[in-house]
Amino acid sequence: MVECSFCHNPVPPRALRCPYCNWDLSQAVDDEGYSRPPTLTEPSPGLRGSLDGARRPAGESRPPSGPPRTLKEPGSATQNRASGPPPGATSKVSSARTLKEPSGPAPVDHGEGDDRGGGSESSTIPFRPIHRPPMLLLCIYDDGGKTGEWIRIRGSKFSIGRSQGDLIVSHDPGMSGQHADLERRFDGAYSWYLKDLGSKNGTFVRCANARLRPNQDLMIGHKRYRFTLPQSAEESQASDGDNNSERIVTRAAPRVDFGDMLPALRHLDSTEGDRHFLLPDSEQWIGSDPTQVPLVIRRDPSVCPRHAKIYKEPNGRWFIEDNKSVNGTWMRISDDLALERNCEFQLGEQRFSVRIP
């Protein structure tokens, strides 16, 4: 029978450690047992039963398996004095602290990634009100940046102007006294609208892709343009209505401007001296670099080298598509505009951003 050289409890053949006292049994003397180990190590955390420091009498049955007990201080325990401690071994076993349950449940982190509902994270959305109207966030951009002052609008209407309204921007001469309104309306569901109040210089909205209608105003950089289409030709001759066939009145043919026969972007500020941009092709680019685009906007550092593309679809409709430019492409609104979750608009030279949380 193979026994532990320290506690004398039976151990399985060729075992490396005693299952009772955790002695190192790696040095085999012969096939029947092991010599006394050179060092005494501290019992492992998974030790079953209790270790009181005294050796277990030989032949005593192995304690039944079960949950681990609390480790006690081995102060009153005695060592095997007959055999004595092995050479180089410590004279006593280190004390084990009593294991205690925590006084309360561990704190739980309910961060954004916590999914306490048991479903997938993508199926859960942040809480939003469903019975009251939605709030609107308005940002007044700082000059030359995307930061600014945020205002929370909880009422049904918010007015912006140079001299009147809930927000007054008195230092912007390009803004009208009462320029635009932000209105909340209900038509089966709540929606926010941007409404121009007949301002002189208009309300412009930043767009990624928009249709160009006849006489549509747009803004690129600091320059404003109007998109025009050619007019139908008029009759150059007409009868004066006299039945006398010998008396025929001829009228001089009207002067033809070949620029009027093509779609064009016409500059709205004649003092700049910029030429109009004719659009003879179905796709043309506009920007500040003459090596990259045929339609060049000069003397405006806020225009990108390849700013936007103007193109015509096969059905004859014209569009403009922004090329992810830094300062954007802007269209003047003529009707009330329903706002999406995020929108940027400009009144005078002041830019704003709205967000529906």
Side-chain angles (χ1 to χ4, degrees):
M1 179 180 63
V2 180
E3 293 184 352
C4 176
S5 60
F6 179 69
C7 66
H8 296 286
N9 283 312
V11 296
R14 301 298 179 182
L16 298 179
R17 289 185 177 273
C18 176
Y20 297 96
C21 63
N22 205 34
W23 283 100
D24 186 4
L25 306 175
S26 60
Q27 286 187 334
V29 176
D30 50 31
D31 294 338
E32 296 182 354
Y34 297 91
S35 65
R36 184 177 302 156
T39 57
L40 175 64
T41 59
E42 184 177 351
S44 64
L47 175 64
R48 292 183 298 178
S50 61
L51 179 63
D52 55 5
R55 57 181 183 174
R56 189 181 304 277
E60 183 177 344
S61 61
R62 182 175 178 176
S65 60
R69 304 175 185 176
T70 303
L71 301 180
K72 299 181 180 179
E73 295 287 344
S76 60
T78 60
Q79 264 187 330
N80 184 1
R81 301 181 183 274
S83 59
T90 57
S91 59
K92 59 181 178 180
V93 180
S94 302
S95 301
R97 295 190 298 271
T98 303
L99 302 178
K100 298 181 179 180
E101 293 292 333
S103 58
V108 180
D109 182 13
H110 299 321
E112 294 182 358
D114 182 46
D115 188 5
R116 291 173 287 167
S120 62
E121 185 176 349
S122 59
S123 64
T124 305
I125 63 174
F127 175 81
R128 292 177 57 84
I130 59 175
H131 298 295
R132 69 164 175 81
M135 178 178 60
L136 184 70
L137 299 178
L138 173 67
C139 181
I140 310 165
Y141 280 146
D142 297 331
D143 296 343
K146 287 295 184 181
T147 60
E149 176 186 357
W150 285 95
I151 299 176
R152 287 166 172 79
I153 302 175
R154 296 180 174 88
S156 60
K157 184 178 179 180
F158 190 87
S159 299
I160 306 174
R162 183 169 49 85
S163 59
Q164 301 180 49
D166 301 291
L167 175 64
I168 297 176
V169 187
S170 58
H171 64 287
D172 193 335
M175 191 179 297
S176 298
Q178 288 182 302
H179 199 111
D181 282 348
L182 293 167
E183 293 184 356
R184 185 179 61 216
R185 304 173 187 174
F186 183 81
D187 186 14
Y190 287 104
S191 301
W192 282 94
Y193 286 82
L194 175 63
K195 178 181 180 180
D196 184 81
L197 300 178
S199 61
K200 178 181 179 180
N201 295 316
T203 298
F204 288 80
V205 176
R206 186 169 185 169
C207 62
N209 187 290
R211 181 182 174 184
L212 291 173
R213 300 180 182 275
N215 299 318
Q216 170 73 58
D217 291 355
L218 63 148
M219 178 172 57
I220 299 176
H222 292 89
K223 308 293 180 65
R224 301 189 180 193
Y225 299 90
R226 178 167 296 165
F227 176 73
T228 60
L229 289 176
Q231 300 292 330
S232 60
E234 297 181 353
E235 294 183 357
S236 60
Q237 294 185 359
S239 172
D240 61 358
D242 193 344
N243 292 330
N244 186 1
S245 59
E246 295 181 357
R247 185 180 178 183
I248 299 177
V249 178
T250 59
R251 297 181 180 177
R255 181 179 178 182
V256 177
D257 185 354
F258 289 99
D260 294 335
M261 302 177 64
L262 294 172
L265 290 180
R266 301 186 178 276
H267 203 288
L268 295 181
D269 189 357
S270 59
T271 60
E272 291 289 337
D274 286 22
R275 61 182 178 87
H276 302 324
F277 294 127
L278 302 180
L279 306 174
D281 300 326
S282 59
E283 178 179 316
Q284 294 169 95
W285 285 83
I286 186 170
S288 61
D289 188 352
T291 64
Q292 300 187 42
V293 297
L295 310 179
V296 182
I297 300 178
R298 306 179 186 277
R299 301 185 298 277
D300 193 340
S302 61
V303 178
C304 289
R306 194 175 173 89
H307 198 101
K309 178 177 68 174
I310 303 173
Y311 64 95
K312 183 177 68 173
E313 291 188 340
N315 57 14
R317 295 179 178 179
W318 285 85
F319 289 83
I320 185 168
E321 179 180 347
D322 186 76
N323 191 31
K324 298 181 180 180
S325 61
V326 175
N327 296 304
T329 300
W330 304 73
M331 307 290 288
R332 183 172 182 171
I333 63 172
S334 55
D335 300 321
D336 299 354
L337 178 67
L339 299 177
E340 302 293 338
R341 296 293 297 272
N342 296 279
C343 179
E344 293 181 75
F345 63 95
Q346 179 170 330
L347 312 179
E349 287 190 310
Q350 179 63 57
R351 292 188 171 180
F352 302 86
S353 174
V354 291
R355 182 166 64 89
I356 304 176

